[in-house]
Amino acid sequence: MIDYHDDWHDYLQHGFEQCDVDDLIQLATDANLNQAQDDTVWVQIHAWRALAQLKSTKAIIPLITLFDSADKNEDDWMMDDLPEVIGMIGTDALLPLFAFILDNTHQQSAYLVAASALNQIHKNQPDCRDELLVFYQQYLEQPHHQQKALNGFIVINLLDIKAVELIDEIRQIFTNKCVDLMCAGDLEEVEIKLGVRTQRTTPKPTFEQMSGIKPPNFSNLFDDELNDDEWILTDSFFTRYGRAQSIQNTSELNGFFTAIACAPEMIMPSMWMDAIWGATYAPEWDDIEEFELFNQLIFNHYNQVNQALIEGEYYPLFFKPENDNDNDIVNAWCDGFLRGISLWQALNNDDNAVLGNTLKPIVLFTKTQVLNTLKTLSKTEIKQQQNAITSTVIELFYHFYQKRDSKNPSIVRKTDKIGRNNPCPCGSGKKYKKCCLH
């Protein structure tokens, strides 16, 4: 059976040799495989990974031509894998990558894959630094002014190779205001990282100034559903600090928190916080304010999910389609829910049966299953499965909520119940909902 694994196979041990390169290139670039309805959809990934281990220079140009397909199809596998693949092939890919980036006809995501590939090559072969400096100098003299994200990625690459020699060109690109500040920060921050400045002379730009996103008003949190500003702001944090193994967006986070809330035993924040980013990765925050803002966002989101489930007013945060006649896009939410389930303790047979019933409509929309069974269903049938997610999740929550409640002894309340908007009795000065209600 052909399937996908985050961990790469040892393809050479499976017998792949240089004589297989032409066939592997054909498989790696076969657009029909990318749209396959069965397990052969993974053939492309295995083919280009085998080419990487063979260090096939013949595959460089065909693989680079896939960058535009990755953008067009929003193909996460290509965007994640291809930089590493080309990085393994090595420095023979530098000139084709330079030519690709200098060409102004590509889309943003395709450029970012190319820039990431350059970074991977340097990580694998640091001796190519001089060649990279020559290219980056040429690019910075005539950058693509509209590609701010690409320019931000290139600044990150320059920091990685400690390109202090190009500080004048770096300063000019910031002066021209064609750099996404969310990538590597503003000019003063870059100068400090390169060692040409010891401290700031101007206040560090706020998150709103760098991103153009106004932080939400937290005064109404817990009283309303997650608003658009909070959704966009949370997504921007995942875009900036996330990695391939991290939760990718707010919809996936909502599914994750829903699974945490449904758990048979309470899962502590110290455990689920690590799972948000991936077990082996933790972001390096630019400052404490961003860290605190992100924590405030996710804890309020976590509390909203719990409160909505308790009050019977829960609705999952699915992506809405551009066409109103299309069904919701639920894949990310379902991936998040399964990530949360992975933190649960072992269940007995009866509880496993309840969980299995909940997972039936959810697994249809995960990355593997969506390419198989889901494609055989009509729009109406897909909508029915999506609707089933909400009802079965609520049933799952109450199943374990009642069991948890029965384990706790009755408590006689000697004081009036504390309202969510009342001052917290701990004396912090915050509202109860913002403090010990967590």
Side-chain angles (χ1 to χ4, degrees), residues 73 143 214 335 380 399:
N73 299 324
K214 185 177 181 180
D335 287 337
T380 300
H399 173 77

Side-chain angles (χ1 to χ4, degrees), residues 46 56 95 118 120 127 156 160 195 203 329-330 336 377 403 421:
H46 291 298
S56 170
L95 290 180
L118 289 178
Q120 284 291 334
D127 291 345
I156 291 174
D160 285 343
I329 304 169
V330 306
L377 302 180
K403 295 183 75 169
N421 289 311

Side-chain angles (χ1 to χ4, degrees), residues 16-35:
F16 286 99
E17 299 177 350
Q18 292 299 325
C19 60
D20 299 310
V21 164
D22 288 341
D23 289 336
L24 288 169
I25 290 174
Q26 184 175 354
L27 293 172
T29 57
D30 187 340
N32 292 325
L33 288 173
N34 185 261
Q35 303 298 321

Side-chain angles (χ1 to χ4, degrees), residues 254-263 305-306 308-310 312-318 333-334 336-338 341 344 354-363 385-401 404:
N254 185 260
F256 175 75
F257 279 149
T258 303
I260 299 301
C262 291
V305 169
N306 277 277
L309 284 165
I310 291 171
E313 298 178 355
Y314 173 80
Y315 297 96
L317 288 180
F318 296 153
W333 187 96
C334 294
F337 190 86
L338 295 183
I341 291 292
W344 285 24
V354 175
L355 175 61
N357 183 60
T358 301
L359 293 180
K360 284 180 181 177
I362 292 174
V363 296
Q385 293 296 329
Q386 291 179 346
N387 291 338
I389 290 175
T390 304
S391 59
T392 56
V393 162
I394 292 174
E395 290 174 9
L396 179 70
F397 172 78
Y398 277 108
H399 173 77
F400 288 116
Y401 183 73
R404 289 198 305 266

Side-chain angles (χ1 to χ4, degrees), residues 353-383:
V354 175
L355 175 61
N357 183 60
T358 301
L359 293 180
K360 284 180 181 177
I362 292 174
V363 296
L364 288 174
F365 299 94
T366 56
K367 289 175 181 175
T368 302
Q369 294 293 334
V370 72
L371 299 168
N372 302 320
T373 308
L374 196 62
K375 293 291 182 71
T376 68
L377 302 180
S378 68
K379 279 190 175 182
T380 300
E381 290 171 325
I382 291 174
K383 185 64 176 178

Side-chain angles (χ1 to χ4, degrees), residues 90 92 129 142 237 252 318 337 346:
D92 285 322
R129 180 179 184 274
Q142 290 186 307
F237 278 121
E252 187 175 351
F318 296 153
F337 190 86

Side-chain angles (χ1 to χ4, degrees), residues 79-80 83 101 107-120 122-123 132 135-136 139-140 143-144 146-163 170 173-174 178-185 190 193 236 238-244 248:
M79 293 179 188
D80 291 341
I101 291 176
Q107 298 299 312
Q108 175 176 289
S109 296
Y111 284 124
L112 300 187
V113 175
S116 296
L118 289 178
N119 196 34
Q120 284 291 334
H122 176 258
K123 286 181 178 179
L132 288 171
F135 164 69
Y136 288 136
Y139 175 80
L140 292 175
H144 302 320
Q146 301 304 315
Q147 294 292 340
K148 292 187 177 182
L150 167 63
N151 298 333
F153 265 58
I154 285 179
V155 171
I156 291 174
N157 288 358
L158 291 168
L159 290 174
D160 285 343
I161 66 174
K162 297 179 171 47
I170 293 172
I173 200 173
F174 276 96
C178 54
V179 181
D180 185 345
L181 300 184
M182 290 293 291
C183 294
V190 171
K193 290 176 180 177
S236 71
F238 285 129
T239 299
R240 185 177 186 191
Y241 290 107
R243 295 293 184 271
Q248 300 297 309

